[in-house]
Amino acid sequence: MKEIYLDSNATTCVLPAAVSAARQAMEQGYGNPSSTHATGLQAKAMMDGVRQRASRLLGVGDGRLMFNSGATEGIQTAVLSALCALRERRAAGKHIGSLLLYGATEHKAVPESLAHWNRLLGLNLEVRQLPVDAQGRHDLQALDALIGEAAMLCTMAANNETGVISDLSAIAQLLQERGADAYWMVDCVQALGKLKLNLAATRIDYAPFSGHKLYAPKGIGMLYVRAGAPFTPLMMGGGQEAGLRSGTENMAGIAALGAVLAALEDGKTFRSHADLAAFRAQLVASLERVFPGIVFNMPFPLSLPTTLNFSVPGLSSKELLDLFDAARVRVSSGSACSAAKALPSYVLEAMHVPQWRASSAIRLSFGPLIDAATIDAACARIERCGEALRNSCLLPSALAPSPQDGAQEGIIQLSVDGRCTWLLSDAASASCVVIDPVAALVPRLAAFIRCQHLALRAIVHTAAPVDHGAARLALLQELAIEQLGRVDIDGVLELGQQRLRRIECGETHVYLLGQRFAFIGTLAPGALTPLLEAALLTPDTVLCAALDDGSLCSTVRTLQDGLVPSAELPLDAAGLPAFLRQHPDAILVDVREAYEHAACAGTVFEGCAVYSVPLSRLAAQVAAWLQQPQRPLVFFCRSGNRSARAAACLRRQGHAAAWQLTGGMAMAEATRQPLAIAA
């Protein structure tokens, strides 16, 4: 399937005309604009032409507009300029205020810059967040109370995560009414090409822009400085950009940006606001059909038509990201600069949305170059994702049990916030047991049990539940069960042909499934000795804990011997074919979940025998793999994170030939080469 890119708030592709302009600048207009010969003058003329076009589009008026490397440099320069002026004013005995205010939903580059220069310049002012309301707009009442002591105010035109448009007119009016002399910077990165700007007609002192958010290459941006606003260069040297920003100009980037601005000015290349709003409505309709209970985390009337931010009950942002990525629809779980940190969205937290929404939000964003065919295709892929979730029992469904879940013995591991819930199912008796339920996982458990038409036999705990039974009660309520049977007097629960036996270990319990699996909660290794002596466990019994420390599962032998995992064994996609030819007995294991497979079409690994063992079901396969410790196992997933965990799990337990595919499917797709293996 062709990739559908819906993460334009992070970056965009480069406009073909911009590519051509950059190439021409490098091949023909390569002169240094500071040179006085004809080649240099030609380069300078091109640069001046781009600046004039940008000035017209942005309404710069008498203000200054310099080219730089992008928004972060622009923010740094604006903050440095304002704070240097503040230091000079204070040194002259003038009142400057005690606060450096920034919107609570600003890009992290803003507070980091404020704190950095505040410290280096020795101003020691208070850097304080300006709160936002539930819609994500700046709290004007709070601003009214603080503006009298504000030395600098930093806001944004439109938010990068939610698309919420700031009420800049109301902020400007408040500044005027209170006679505030605070310097005002407005981050206009998401505004370029999406909002009409007339900067000279505003009270704004500084406005940074970044080209790669609107089809220009990375490394080129602009900074607007209002006429009369103080300015201190961030970089000094040869005096380029009229002394505002030294360093030889990025001529290829400027030429490319000029092509984008020309397309913006001609009014024909990019979609109108009405078209973009219609596209958003089409996407919203598909998302609402597919995801029951979906919540949008931004007010549509007050947001850019190119941004959607949403959360789905019972599904984490990681799961949704994996799902969309499997369908080759590129979205993000928040700001691209912080997505890798796996933290709740600070933007949504500032809006005081419920924690589950801040932790599970997805951002879908597109640029004004998008067309109707792409939106249609995206909606079709979204529908495919919904079907994949229903088939995998992650959304409400009336489906019969799927074949892959019909095994005699099913052990599923679900984790959240460092805690694990285990679900033991038996297809023959169509029944299941839940061990150590976590409240956040109740919707997932209930959906799976209903979808598989399983009878819930018991909910058990390895120790007194920290939530005092709240998760148990919530699961019973979700399934409309008034009362469950209890484990019998001998501590044995029959589950089809399987027997789950409870063993008392002080104040905790161990649940044994024969000698193959032991659900141990947080039991210390030494507490297992009596069970070994009583032949209830063997050294190869797989241990399933209630805490998720990243190890997935373990064995008695591992804990007893204190095994240290062997060194990581990474492979890259380019080297995999040769590896598989050298090791024809190797097992290629896909640890992605079933819903990711269902969302896919085709495979990168053509000609390879691939086994699907989702990470959530890895524990059930560990014992079998450990019986062949020399047979190579090559794990892969979407990005390499889950496969790294799977490989480490096996190596930790003595399987020295467990490899992982570095970069996962993402890097394999980038090679564009099917991994066909020669006979």
Side-chain angles (χ1 to χ4, degrees):
M1 293 187 292
K2 180 181 178 182
E3 174 183 272
I4 296 178
Y5 185 81
L6 297 178
D7 195 21
S8 292
N9 283 13
T11 194
T12 57
C13 63
V14 179
L15 189 72
V19 174
S20 298
R23 181 182 296 113
Q24 183 177 13
M26 289 186 287
E27 293 177 347
Q28 301 174 23
Y30 50 81
N32 188 322
S34 296
S35 300
T36 57
H37 50 61
T39 304
L41 293 174
Q42 291 166 4
K44 186 177 185 302
M46 181 276 289
M47 183 175 67
D48 290 344
V50 175
R51 197 189 315 273
Q52 291 168 8
R53 174 169 277 122
S55 297
R56 287 196 302 271
L57 283 167
L58 302 178
V60 167
D62 294 334
R64 293 172 283 183
L65 188 69
M66 73 192 75
F67 295 115
N68 58 20
S69 64
T72 298
E73 183 186 334
I75 290 168
Q76 294 275 341
T77 305
V79 169
L80 173 64
S81 297
L83 267 58
C84 282
L86 290 170
R87 188 171 66 168
E88 292 174 1
R89 286 169 56 186
R90 187 167 69 180
K94 298 179 180 178
H95 174 75
I96 63 169
S98 61
L99 300 178
L100 300 176
L101 282 180
Y102 69 95
T105 58
E106 297 298 303
H107 191 285
K108 287 297 185 183
V110 172
E112 292 295 329
S113 296
L114 287 170
H116 176 73
W117 291 112
N118 184 42
R119 181 179 65 254
L120 288 184
L121 294 174
L123 281 167
N124 299 317
L125 301 177
E126 180 184 352
V127 180
R128 185 185 295 186
Q129 282 189 358
L130 172 65
V132 297
D133 60 23
Q135 294 182 317
R137 283 187 150 189
H138 303 93
D139 186 332
L140 296 179
Q141 287 186 340
L143 179 59
D144 191 16
L146 297 171
I147 196 62
E149 276 302 308
M152 185 176 189
L153 172 64
C154 300
T155 62
M156 62 197 329
N159 187 264
N160 52 303
E161 287 194 32
T162 62
V164 170
I165 301 169
S166 300
D167 191 348
L168 298 180
S169 296
I171 294 173
Q173 183 176 351
L174 193 58
L175 289 169
Q176 181 178 359
E177 290 175 352
R178 297 293 176 265
D181 58 357
Y183 298 118
W184 186 19
M185 182 188 75
V186 176
D187 176 353
C188 288
V189 168
Q190 295 296 336
L192 186 62
K194 303 168 190 175
L195 296 175
K196 291 183 178 180
L197 296 171
N198 186 11
L199 294 172
T202 71
R203 163 74 169 71
I204 297 169
D205 293 300
Y206 310 98
F209 296 88
S210 187
H212 76 98
K213 305 295 185 177
L214 190 72
Y215 306 109
K218 298 166 186 64
I220 184 63
M222 301 177 290
L223 175 66
Y224 161 80
V225 181
R226 183 176 60 85
F231 184 83
T232 297
L234 180 66
M235 294 186 291
M236 293 296 293
Q240 289 87 350
E241 291 295 281
L244 302 178
R245 197 264 192 186
S246 291
T248 302
E249 294 88 347
N250 175 6
M251 299 304 292
I254 292 171
L257 178 60
V260 172
L261 296 174
L264 192 60
E265 195 171 36
D266 71 21
K268 300 176 182 177
T269 304
F270 296 125
R271 299 287 174 178
S272 68
H273 186 280
D275 287 342
L276 297 174
F279 289 157
R280 181 179 68 176
Q282 188 177 345
L283 288 166
V284 167
S286 288
L287 290 167
E288 289 179 334
R289 281 195 302 271
V290 164
F291 298 117
I294 187 172
V295 180
F296 291 96
N297 298 314
M298 16 72 72
F300 291 137
L302 302 178
S303 302
L304 295 173
T306 52
T307 304
L308 287 170
N309 189 296
F310 61 88
S311 304
V312 179
L315 292 173
S316 70
S317 57
K318 173 68 166 57
E319 289 165 330
L320 287 167
L321 193 62
D322 289 340
L323 175 69
F324 278 103
D325 221 42
R328 295 182 64 81
V329 177
R330 311 311 187 201
V331 297
S332 73
S333 56
S335 168
C337 300
S338 59
K341 299 178 183 178
L343 298 173
S345 165
Y346 71 89
V347 170
L348 297 183
E349 286 184 325
M351 295 167 62
H352 301 292
V353 306
Q355 186 66 23
W356 74 266
R357 286 165 56 187
S359 300
S360 61
I362 289 292
R363 180 185 68 184
L364 184 159
S365 55
F366 52 91
L369 196 62
I370 202 164
D371 56 27
T374 302
I375 295 295
D376 290 341
C379 290
R381 301 269 182 98
I382 291 170
E383 300 282 352
R384 184 187 185 96
C385 288
E387 183 180 358
L389 290 174
R390 287 188 291 272
N391 288 344
S392 300
C393 298
L394 297 183
L395 287 179
S397 172
L399 296 173
S402 56
Q404 65 186 32
D405 293 323
Q408 181 71 17
E409 179 178 84
I411 296 177
I412 300 176
Q413 178 184 17
L414 301 175
S415 302
V416 63
D417 296 333
R419 298 169 62 196
C420 290
T421 293
W422 296 86
L423 188 145
L424 174 60
S425 64
D426 179 78
S429 61
S431 58
C432 68
V433 174
V434 172
I435 303 170
D436 291 326
V438 178
L441 295 171
V442 164
R444 171 70 49 80
L445 292 166
F448 182 87
I449 292 169
R450 282 194 299 262
C451 176
Q452 294 293 310
H453 304 303
L454 296 173
L456 179 61
R457 291 291 310 280
I459 301 173
V460 299
H461 297 85
T462 55
V466 295
D467 65 357
H468 307 290
R472 170 190 168 87
L473 180 61
L475 182 56
L476 293 176
Q477 291 176 339
E478 282 272 352
L479 296 172
I481 297 174
E482 294 185 3
Q483 187 64 43
L484 278 177
R486 297 182 178 276
V487 178
D488 68 25
I489 194 168
D490 296 322
V492 176
L493 178 68
E494 301 287 347
L495 200 64
Q497 299 299 312
Q498 305 178 79
R499 291 164 58 85
L500 187 67
R501 182 177 179 182
R502 184 182 66 201
I503 305 296
E504 305 292 337
C505 291
E507 296 182 355
T508 64
H509 311 302
V510 172
Y511 288 89
L512 304 179
L513 192 63
Q515 291 183 316
R516 294 165 298 169
F517 299 94
F519 301 91
I520 64 170
T522 58
L523 211 57
L528 300 175
T529 302
L531 303 181
L532 276 166
E533 293 174 346
L536 295 173
L537 300 179
T538 74
D540 294 320
T541 299
V542 176
L543 304 177
C544 305
L547 295 181
D548 181 11
D549 60 359
S551 62
L552 297 175
C553 63
S554 188
T555 61
V556 174
R557 189 189 309 276
T558 303
L559 291 186
Q560 282 184 321
D561 299 344
L563 293 179
V564 177
S566 56
E568 181 179 352
L569 300 176
L571 275 172
D572 59 27
L576 183 58
F579 176 87
L580 294 179
R581 285 192 291 269
Q582 294 170 4
H583 304 278
D585 63 333
I587 302 175
L588 194 59
V589 185
D590 186 348
V591 296
R592 294 179 300 162
E593 298 297 323
Y595 57 84
E596 294 174 77
H597 287 280
C600 283
T603 176
V604 174
F605 301 105
E606 297 175 13
C608 302
V610 177
Y611 295 84
S612 175
V613 182
L615 196 68
S616 61
R617 295 174 180 267
L618 193 78
Q621 294 292 324
V622 165
W625 284 331
L626 290 178
Q627 292 175 9
Q628 297 178 293
Q630 302 305 317
R631 186 174 186 181
L633 298 170
V634 180
F635 296 97
F636 72 90
C637 62
R638 179 182 70 88
S639 65
N641 293 330
R642 285 172 288 175
S643 60
R645 292 185 65 194
C649 176
L650 269 294
R651 292 197 308 274
R652 189 180 298 109
Q653 296 172 68
H655 197 301
W659 302 71
Q660 69 128 339
L661 187 65
T662 304
M665 295 286 289
M667 293 300 100
E669 289 175 1
T671 67
R672 305 293 185 188
Q673 296 176 357
L675 298 175
I677 309 304

